[in-house]
Coordinates of all heavy atoms in Angstrom, one line a residue:
G39 N 90.9 97.2 93.7 CA 91.0 98.3 94.6 C 90.0 99.5 94.4 O 90.2 100.6 94.9
R40 N 89.0 99.2 93.7 CA 88.0 100.3 93.3 C 87.4 100.9 94.6 O 87.4 102.1 94.8 CB 86.9 99.7 92.4 CG 85.8 100.8 92.1 CD 84.7 100.2 91.3 NE 84.0 99.1 91.9 CZ 83.1 99.2 92.8 NH1 82.7 100.4 93.2 NH2 82.5 98.1 93.4
T41 N 86.9 100.0 95.5 CA 86.3 100.6 96.7 C 87.3 101.3 97.6 O 86.9 102.3 98.2 CB 85.5 99.5 97.5 OG1 86.5 98.5 97.9 CG2 84.4 98.9 96.7
R42 N 88.5 100.9 97.6 CA 89.6 101.6 98.4 C 89.8 103.0 97.8 O 89.9 104.0 98.5 CB 90.9 100.8 98.4 CG 92.0 101.5 99.1 CD 93.4 101.2 98.6 NE 93.5 101.3 97.1 CZ 93.8 100.3 96.3 NH1 94.1 99.1 96.8 NH2 93.9 100.5 95.0
D43 N 89.9 103.0 96.4 CA 90.1 104.3 95.7 C 88.9 105.2 96.0 O 89.1 106.4 96.2 CB 90.2 104.0 94.2 CG 91.5 103.4 93.9 OD1 92.3 103.1 94.8 OD2 91.7 103.1 92.7
E44 N 87.7 104.7 96.0 CA 86.5 105.5 96.3 C 86.6 106.1 97.7 O 86.2 107.2 98.0 CB 85.2 104.7 96.1 CG 84.9 104.4 94.6 CD 83.8 103.4 94.4 OE1 83.3 102.9 95.4 OE2 83.4 103.2 93.2
A45 N 87.0 105.2 98.7 CA 87.1 105.7 100.1 C 88.2 106.8 100.2 O 88.0 107.8 100.9 CB 87.5 104.5 101.0
W46 N 89.3 106.6 99.5 CA 90.4 107.7 99.5 C 89.9 108.9 98.9 O 90.1 110.0 99.4 CB 91.6 107.1 98.8 CG 92.8 108.0 98.8 CD1 93.3 108.8 97.8 CD2 93.6 108.4 100.0 NE1 94.4 109.5 98.3 CE2 94.6 109.3 99.6 CE3 93.5 108.0 101.3 CZ2 95.5 109.8 100.5 CZ3 94.5 108.5 102.2 CH2 95.4 109.4 101.8
A47 N 89.1 108.8 97.7 CA 88.6 110.0 97.1 C 87.6 110.7 98.0 O 87.6 112.0 98.0 CB 87.9 109.6 95.8
S48 N 86.9 110.0 98.8 CA 85.9 110.6 99.8 C 86.7 111.4 100.8 O 86.3 112.5 101.2 CB 85.1 109.5 100.4 OG 84.3 110.0 101.4
V49 N 87.8 110.8 101.3 CA 88.6 111.6 102.3 C 89.1 112.9 101.7 O 89.0 113.9 102.3 CB 89.8 110.7 102.8 CG1 90.8 111.5 103.5 CG2 89.3 109.5 103.6
L50 N 89.7 112.8 100.5 CA 90.2 114.0 99.8 C 89.1 115.0 99.5 O 89.4 116.2 99.7 CB 90.9 113.6 98.5 CG 92.1 112.7 98.6 CD1 92.6 112.3 97.2 CD2 93.2 113.3 99.4
G51 N 87.9 114.5 99.2 CA 86.8 115.4 98.9 C 86.4 116.2 100.2 O 85.8 117.3 100.0
R52 N 86.6 115.7 101.3 CA 86.2 116.4 102.6 C 87.2 117.3 103.1 O 86.9 118.2 103.9 CB 85.9 115.3 103.6 CG 84.6 114.6 103.3 CD 84.1 113.7 104.5 NE 85.1 112.8 104.9 CZ 85.0 111.5 104.6 NH1 84.0 111.0 103.8 NH2 86.0 110.6 104.9
L53 N 88.5 117.2 102.6 CA 89.5 118.2 103.0 C 89.4 119.5 102.3 O 89.3 119.5 101.1 CB 90.9 117.6 102.8 CG 91.3 116.4 103.7 CD1 92.6 115.8 103.2 CD2 91.3 116.7 105.1
T54 N 89.5 120.6 103.0 CA 89.5 121.9 102.3 C 90.9 122.4 102.2 O 91.2 123.2 101.3 CB 88.6 122.9 103.2 OG1 89.1 123.0 104.5 CG2 87.2 122.5 103.1
R55 N 91.8 122.0 103.1 CA 93.2 122.3 102.9 C 94.0 121.4 103.9 O 93.5 120.8 104.8 CB 93.5 123.8 103.2 CG 93.3 124.3 104.6 CD 93.4 125.8 104.6 NE 94.1 126.5 105.5 CZ 94.8 126.2 106.7 NH1 95.0 125.1 107.0 NH2 95.3 127.1 107.4
G56 N 95.3 121.2 103.5 CA 96.1 120.4 104.3 C 96.8 119.3 103.5 O 96.9 119.4 102.3
R57 N 97.2 118.3 104.1 CA 98.0 117.2 103.4 C 97.4 115.9 103.9 O 97.2 115.6 105.0 CB 99.4 117.3 103.8 CG 100.3 116.2 103.2 CD 101.8 116.3 103.4 NE 102.2 117.5 102.6 CZ 103.3 118.2 102.9 NH1 104.0 117.9 103.9 NH2 103.6 119.2 102.1
A58 N 97.1 115.0 102.9 CA 96.7 113.7 103.1 C 97.8 112.8 102.6 O 98.4 112.9 101.6 CB 95.4 113.3 102.3

Side-chain angles (χ1 to χ4, degrees):
R40 179 183 58 83
T41 56
R42 178 212 48 240
D43 291 356
E44 290 170 353
W46 185 250
S48 175
V49 167
L50 296 177
R52 289 190 300 259
L53 291 176
T54 55
R55 67 189 224 357
R57 177 174 290 157

